[in-house]
Amino acid sequence: MSIRRVVPDIRTGSFEASREFYGRLGFEEVMNLGWVMALAAPDNPTAQLIFMDRDAAAPVEPDMSIEVGDVDAAHAAMRAAGADVVYPLTDEEWGVRRFFVRDPNGRVVNVVEHRG
């Protein structure tokens, strides 16, 4: 199973303040859906930060996102292990297939594959 990137998901009350603060460190906005925004390093696009005020589809907000090459295989592995899947495997309208699983520390992990 390939891991493409791991990104912290940070709750924010101000996208503008977050963009400005991390912009001073060289991050640039690469995605903004109104409820979630991603900033990335221009010279290393897998170095990213995600900011959200809520999750538009899921009933809980994740603490981190892990992009994988095969989300269906990751989902099957977690279910086979009896992991606590807190948001089912879903094709989202913004072009990702994902599920949320709770880790042994209580953190919610968004396991995601970009489609398209």
Side-chain angles (χ1 to χ4, degrees), residues 24-54:
R24 291 185 196 113
L25 296 172
F27 284 91
E28 296 178 354
E29 184 178 300
V30 294
M31 184 267 299
N32 191 327
L33 298 179
W35 58 272
V36 62
M37 172 184 72
L39 304 180
D43 58 340
N44 181 3
T46 62
Q48 293 188 0
L49 300 169
I50 293 177
F51 298 90
M52 66 176 53
D53 62 6
R54 63 180 163 60

mmCIF file of all heavy atoms in Angstrom, residues 24-54:
data_model
loop_
_atom_site.group_PDB
_atom_site.id
_atom_site.type_symbol
_atom_site.label_atom_id
_atom_site.label_comp_id
_atom_site.label_asym_id
_atom_site.label_seq_id
_atom_site.Cartn_x
_atom_site.Cartn_y
_atom_site.Cartn_z
ATOM 1 N N ARG A 24 4.086 33.596 5.648
ATOM 2 C CA ARG A 24 5.389 34.137 6.046
ATOM 3 C C ARG A 24 6.476 33.068 6.062
ATOM 4 O O ARG A 24 7.662 33.378 5.986
ATOM 5 C CB ARG A 24 5.287 34.767 7.433
ATOM 6 C CG ARG A 24 4.456 36.015 7.469
ATOM 7 C CD ARG A 24 4.496 36.662 8.858
ATOM 8 N NE ARG A 24 3.425 37.617 8.968
ATOM 9 C CZ ARG A 24 2.369 37.488 9.778
ATOM 10 N NH1 ARG A 24 2.261 36.438 10.577
ATOM 11 N NH2 ARG A 24 1.439 38.399 9.797
ATOM 12 N N LEU A 25 6.064 31.799 6.153
ATOM 13 C CA LEU A 25 7.017 30.688 6.120
ATOM 14 C C LEU A 25 7.171 30.115 4.713
ATOM 15 O O LEU A 25 7.901 29.152 4.516
ATOM 16 C CB LEU A 25 6.565 29.583 7.080
ATOM 17 C CG LEU A 25 6.550 29.975 8.553
ATOM 18 C CD1 LEU A 25 5.911 28.877 9.387
ATOM 19 C CD2 LEU A 25 7.957 30.277 9.037
ATOM 20 N N GLY A 26 6.460 30.687 3.750
ATOM 21 C CA GLY A 26 6.596 30.272 2.363
ATOM 22 C C GLY A 26 5.459 29.435 1.809
ATOM 23 O O GLY A 26 5.481 29.074 0.631
ATOM 24 N N PHE A 27 4.452 29.119 2.623
ATOM 25 C CA PHE A 27 3.324 28.336 2.122
ATOM 26 C C PHE A 27 2.414 29.199 1.253
ATOM 27 O O PHE A 27 2.256 30.393 1.500
ATOM 28 C CB PHE A 27 2.498 27.772 3.296
ATOM 29 C CG PHE A 27 3.133 26.599 3.978
ATOM 30 C CD1 PHE A 27 3.980 26.787 5.054
ATOM 31 C CD2 PHE A 27 2.884 25.306 3.544
ATOM 32 C CE1 PHE A 27 4.572 25.714 5.700
ATOM 33 C CE2 PHE A 27 3.467 24.227 4.176
ATOM 34 C CZ PHE A 27 4.318 24.428 5.262
ATOM 35 N N GLU A 28 1.816 28.572 0.243
ATOM 36 C CA GLU A 28 0.882 29.241 -0.654
ATOM 37 C C GLU A 28 -0.414 28.448 -0.721
ATOM 38 O O GLU A 28 -0.400 27.216 -0.655
ATOM 39 C CB GLU A 28 1.473 29.356 -2.065
ATOM 40 C CG GLU A 28 2.710 30.212 -2.125
ATOM 41 C CD GLU A 28 3.318 30.282 -3.517
ATOM 42 O OE1 GLU A 28 2.840 29.574 -4.442
ATOM 43 O OE2 GLU A 28 4.281 31.050 -3.678
ATOM 44 N N GLU A 29 -1.535 29.154 -0.868
ATOM 45 C CA GLU A 29 -2.823 28.487 -0.987
ATOM 46 C C GLU A 29 -2.895 27.719 -2.298
ATOM 47 O O GLU A 29 -2.628 28.266 -3.361
ATOM 48 C CB GLU A 29 -3.949 29.521 -0.928
ATOM 49 C CG GLU A 29 -5.329 28.901 -0.954
ATOM 50 C CD GLU A 29 -6.435 29.917 -0.840
ATOM 51 O OE1 GLU A 29 -6.485 30.649 0.176
ATOM 52 O OE2 GLU A 29 -7.241 29.988 -1.792
ATOM 53 N N VAL A 30 -3.279 26.438 -2.205
ATOM 54 C CA VAL A 30 -3.409 25.606 -3.400
ATOM 55 C C VAL A 30 -4.827 25.072 -3.590
ATOM 56 O O VAL A 30 -5.152 24.533 -4.640
ATOM 57 C CB VAL A 30 -2.407 24.428 -3.395
ATOM 58 C CG1 VAL A 30 -0.977 24.946 -3.494
ATOM 59 C CG2 VAL A 30 -2.583 23.539 -2.171
ATOM 60 N N MET A 31 -5.676 25.236 -2.549
ATOM 61 C CA MET A 31 -7.059 24.775 -2.643
ATOM 62 C C MET A 31 -7.861 25.481 -1.571
ATOM 63 O O MET A 31 -7.393 25.680 -0.460
ATOM 64 C CB MET A 31 -7.121 23.251 -2.437
ATOM 65 C CG MET A 31 -8.492 22.631 -2.595
ATOM 66 S SD MET A 31 -9.450 22.472 -1.068
ATOM 67 C CE MET A 31 -8.464 21.410 -0.070
ATOM 68 N N ASN A 32 -9.092 25.888 -1.938
ATOM 69 C CA ASN A 32 -9.982 26.499 -0.964
ATOM 70 C C ASN A 32 -11.419 26.206 -1.389
ATOM 71 O O ASN A 32 -11.857 26.670 -2.437
ATOM 72 C CB ASN A 32 -9.750 28.009 -0.864
ATOM 73 C CG ASN A 32 -10.475 28.626 0.308
ATOM 74 O OD1 ASN A 32 -11.559 28.185 0.697
ATOM 75 N ND2 ASN A 32 -9.884 29.659 0.881
ATOM 76 N N LEU A 33 -12.128 25.419 -0.578
ATOM 77 C CA LEU A 33 -13.520 25.080 -0.874
ATOM 78 C C LEU A 33 -14.492 25.858 0.002
ATOM 79 O O LEU A 33 -15.680 25.557 0.035
ATOM 80 C CB LEU A 33 -13.749 23.575 -0.677
ATOM 81 C CG LEU A 33 -12.938 22.648 -1.579
ATOM 82 C CD1 LEU A 33 -13.239 21.191 -1.256
ATOM 83 C CD2 LEU A 33 -13.197 22.934 -3.050
ATOM 84 N N GLY A 34 -13.976 26.839 0.734
ATOM 85 C CA GLY A 34 -14.834 27.646 1.593
ATOM 86 C C GLY A 34 -14.898 27.135 3.021
ATOM 87 O O GLY A 34 -14.942 27.905 3.959
ATOM 88 N N TRP A 35 -14.859 25.828 3.204
ATOM 89 C CA TRP A 35 -14.866 25.210 4.536
ATOM 90 C C TRP A 35 -13.535 24.531 4.841
ATOM 91 O O TRP A 35 -13.248 24.200 5.988
ATOM 92 C CB TRP A 35 -16.018 24.223 4.687
ATOM 93 C CG TRP A 35 -15.990 23.114 3.664
ATOM 94 C CD1 TRP A 35 -16.555 23.142 2.422
ATOM 95 C CD2 TRP A 35 -15.367 21.839 3.784
ATOM 96 N NE1 TRP A 35 -16.307 21.967 1.759
ATOM 97 C CE2 TRP A 35 -15.588 21.143 2.582
ATOM 98 C CE3 TRP A 35 -14.647 21.208 4.805
ATOM 99 C CZ2 TRP A 35 -15.112 19.856 2.366
ATOM 100 C CZ3 TRP A 35 -14.173 19.925 4.590
ATOM 101 C CH2 TRP A 35 -14.409 19.265 3.377
ATOM 102 N N VAL A 36 -12.730 24.340 3.799
ATOM 103 C CA VAL A 36 -11.412 23.707 3.954
ATOM 104 C C VAL A 36 -10.447 24.383 2.984
ATOM 105 O O VAL A 36 -10.812 24.715 1.851
ATOM 106 C CB VAL A 36 -11.470 22.181 3.711
ATOM 107 C CG1 VAL A 36 -11.921 21.850 2.298
ATOM 108 C CG2 VAL A 36 -10.140 21.511 4.031
ATOM 109 N N MET A 37 -9.225 24.614 3.460
ATOM 110 C CA MET A 37 -8.197 25.277 2.654
ATOM 111 C C MET A 37 -6.889 24.511 2.818
ATOM 112 O O MET A 37 -6.557 24.086 3.923
ATOM 113 C CB MET A 37 -8.008 26.716 3.151
ATOM 114 C CG MET A 37 -6.837 27.455 2.529
ATOM 115 S SD MET A 37 -6.606 29.122 3.243
ATOM 116 C CE MET A 37 -5.977 28.739 4.875
ATOM 117 N N ALA A 38 -6.165 24.338 1.724
ATOM 118 C CA ALA A 38 -4.853 23.694 1.768
ATOM 119 C C ALA A 38 -3.789 24.698 1.370
ATOM 120 O O ALA A 38 -3.949 25.456 0.418
ATOM 121 C CB ALA A 38 -4.807 22.495 0.828
ATOM 122 N N LEU A 39 -2.703 24.682 2.127
ATOM 123 C CA LEU A 39 -1.513 25.471 1.808
ATOM 124 C C LEU A 39 -0.394 24.492 1.519
ATOM 125 O O LEU A 39 -0.307 23.442 2.159
ATOM 126 C CB LEU A 39 -1.119 26.368 2.990
ATOM 127 C CG LEU A 39 -2.164 27.326 3.534
ATOM 128 C CD1 LEU A 39 -1.592 28.125 4.702
ATOM 129 C CD2 LEU A 39 -2.684 28.253 2.459
ATOM 130 N N ALA A 40 0.473 24.838 0.563
ATOM 131 C CA ALA A 40 1.579 23.949 0.206
ATOM 132 C C ALA A 40 2.844 24.754 -0.021
ATOM 133 O O ALA A 40 2.799 25.945 -0.335
ATOM 134 C CB ALA A 40 1.240 23.158 -1.063
ATOM 135 N N ALA A 41 3.972 24.069 0.139
ATOM 136 C CA ALA A 41 5.263 24.666 -0.173
ATOM 137 C C ALA A 41 5.437 24.631 -1.686
ATOM 138 O O ALA A 41 5.300 23.562 -2.288
ATOM 139 C CB ALA A 41 6.380 23.890 0.513
ATOM 140 N N PRO A 42 5.723 25.764 -2.325
ATOM 141 C CA PRO A 42 5.821 25.794 -3.790
ATOM 142 C C PRO A 42 6.872 24.838 -4.365
ATOM 143 O O PRO A 42 6.666 24.266 -5.427
ATOM 144 C CB PRO A 42 6.192 27.242 -4.100
ATOM 145 C CG PRO A 42 5.859 28.018 -2.900
ATOM 146 C CD PRO A 42 5.918 27.079 -1.733
ATOM 147 N N ASP A 43 7.974 24.646 -3.657
ATOM 148 C CA ASP A 43 9.037 23.784 -4.165
ATOM 149 C C ASP A 43 8.886 22.323 -3.729
ATOM 150 O O ASP A 43 9.652 21.464 -4.156
ATOM 151 C CB ASP A 43 10.408 24.324 -3.740
ATOM 152 C CG ASP A 43 10.550 24.437 -2.235
ATOM 153 O OD1 ASP A 43 9.522 24.463 -1.528
ATOM 154 O OD2 ASP A 43 11.694 24.514 -1.757
ATOM 155 N N ASN A 44 7.889 22.040 -2.881
ATOM 156 C CA ASN A 44 7.635 20.679 -2.421
ATOM 157 C C ASN A 44 6.137 20.548 -2.179
ATOM 158 O O ASN A 44 5.673 20.654 -1.046
ATOM 159 C CB ASN A 44 8.426 20.393 -1.143
ATOM 160 C CG ASN A 44 8.222 18.983 -0.639
ATOM 161 O OD1 ASN A 44 7.536 18.174 -1.253
ATOM 162 N ND2 ASN A 44 8.802 18.688 0.514
ATOM 163 N N PRO A 45 5.339 20.319 -3.219
ATOM 164 C CA PRO A 45 3.882 20.366 -3.095
ATOM 165 C C PRO A 45 3.285 19.313 -2.162
ATOM 166 O O PRO A 45 2.120 19.427 -1.792
ATOM 167 C CB PRO A 45 3.386 20.203 -4.531
ATOM 168 C CG PRO A 45 4.525 19.651 -5.290
ATOM 169 C CD PRO A 45 5.777 20.062 -4.580
ATOM 170 N N THR A 46 4.043 18.300 -1.765
ATOM 171 C CA THR A 46 3.500 17.338 -0.805
ATOM 172 C C THR A 46 3.660 17.825 0.633
ATOM 173 O O THR A 46 3.086 17.238 1.544
ATOM 174 C CB THR A 46 4.144 15.950 -0.959
ATOM 175 O OG1 THR A 46 5.540 16.050 -0.705
ATOM 176 C CG2 THR A 46 3.887 15.371 -2.344
ATOM 177 N N ALA A 47 4.422 18.897 0.853
ATOM 178 C CA ALA A 47 4.512 19.517 2.178
ATOM 179 C C ALA A 47 3.321 20.456 2.305
ATOM 180 O O ALA A 47 3.312 21.543 1.741
ATOM 181 C CB ALA A 47 5.826 20.265 2.330
ATOM 182 N N GLN A 48 2.290 19.992 3.006
ATOM 183 C CA GLN A 48 1.026 20.727 3.046
ATOM 184 C C GLN A 48 0.494 20.856 4.459
ATOM 185 O O GLN A 48 0.823 20.067 5.344
ATOM 186 C CB GLN A 48 -0.036 20.026 2.200
ATOM 187 C CG GLN A 48 0.261 20.050 0.727
ATOM 188 C CD GLN A 48 -0.903 19.525 -0.093
ATOM 189 O OE1 GLN A 48 -1.946 19.128 0.418
ATOM 190 N NE2 GLN A 48 -0.727 19.529 -1.406
ATOM 191 N N LEU A 49 -0.379 21.835 4.624
ATOM 192 C CA LEU A 49 -1.178 22.035 5.821
ATOM 193 C C LEU A 49 -2.620 22.190 5.373
ATOM 194 O O LEU A 49 -2.888 22.848 4.362
ATOM 195 C CB LEU A 49 -0.754 23.306 6.558
ATOM 196 C CG LEU A 49 0.680 23.387 7.042
ATOM 197 C CD1 LEU A 49 0.998 24.809 7.506
ATOM 198 C CD2 LEU A 49 0.916 22.387 8.156
ATOM 199 N N ILE A 50 -3.545 21.581 6.091
ATOM 200 C CA ILE A 50 -4.960 21.736 5.801
ATOM 201 C C ILE A 50 -5.616 22.446 6.970
ATOM 202 O O ILE A 50 -5.372 22.097 8.130
ATOM 203 C CB ILE A 50 -5.636 20.375 5.532
ATOM 204 C CG1 ILE A 50 -5.094 19.770 4.241
ATOM 205 C CG2 ILE A 50 -7.160 20.526 5.472
ATOM 206 C CD1 ILE A 50 -5.635 18.394 3.919
ATOM 207 N N PHE A 51 -6.438 23.436 6.658
ATOM 208 C CA PHE A 51 -7.192 24.183 7.665
ATOM 209 C C PHE A 51 -8.669 24.013 7.355
ATOM 210 O O PHE A 51 -9.075 24.058 6.199
ATOM 211 C CB PHE A 51 -6.826 25.669 7.620
ATOM 212 C CG PHE A 51 -5.382 25.906 7.937
ATOM 213 C CD1 PHE A 51 -4.423 25.908 6.930
ATOM 214 C CD2 PHE A 51 -4.972 26.095 9.245
ATOM 215 C CE1 PHE A 51 -3.087 26.092 7.214
ATOM 216 C CE2 PHE A 51 -3.632 26.287 9.543
ATOM 217 C CZ PHE A 51 -2.688 26.288 8.525
ATOM 218 N N MET A 52 -9.476 23.804 8.391
ATOM 219 C CA MET A 52 -10.913 23.665 8.176
ATOM 220 C C MET A 52 -11.676 24.277 9.339
ATOM 221 O O MET A 52 -11.176 24.313 10.459
ATOM 222 C CB MET A 52 -11.308 22.212 7.964
ATOM 223 C CG MET A 52 -11.112 21.320 9.164
ATOM 224 S SD MET A 52 -11.707 19.619 8.925
ATOM 225 C CE MET A 52 -10.879 19.139 7.429
ATOM 226 N N ASP A 53 -12.874 24.768 9.025
ATOM 227 C CA ASP A 53 -13.744 25.225 10.104
ATOM 228 C C ASP A 53 -14.765 24.151 10.457
ATOM 229 O O ASP A 53 -15.356 24.183 11.519
ATOM 230 C CB ASP A 53 -14.406 26.567 9.781
ATOM 231 C CG ASP A 53 -15.305 26.547 8.564
ATOM 232 O OD1 ASP A 53 -15.544 25.476 7.985
ATOM 233 O OD2 ASP A 53 -15.781 27.625 8.186
ATOM 234 N N ARG A 54 -14.950 23.184 9.560
ATOM 235 C CA ARG A 54 -15.828 22.031 9.755
ATOM 236 C C ARG A 54 -15.591 21.103 8.576
ATOM 237 O O ARG A 54 -14.955 21.483 7.604
ATOM 238 C CB ARG A 54 -17.287 22.460 9.792
ATOM 239 C CG ARG A 54 -17.729 23.075 8.470
ATOM 240 C CD ARG A 54 -19.166 23.515 8.436
ATOM 241 N NE ARG A 54 -19.469 24.420 7.370
ATOM 242 C CZ ARG A 54 -19.346 24.194 6.067
ATOM 243 N NH1 ARG A 54 -18.874 23.068 5.632
ATOM 244 N NH2 ARG A 54 -19.676 25.100 5.174
#
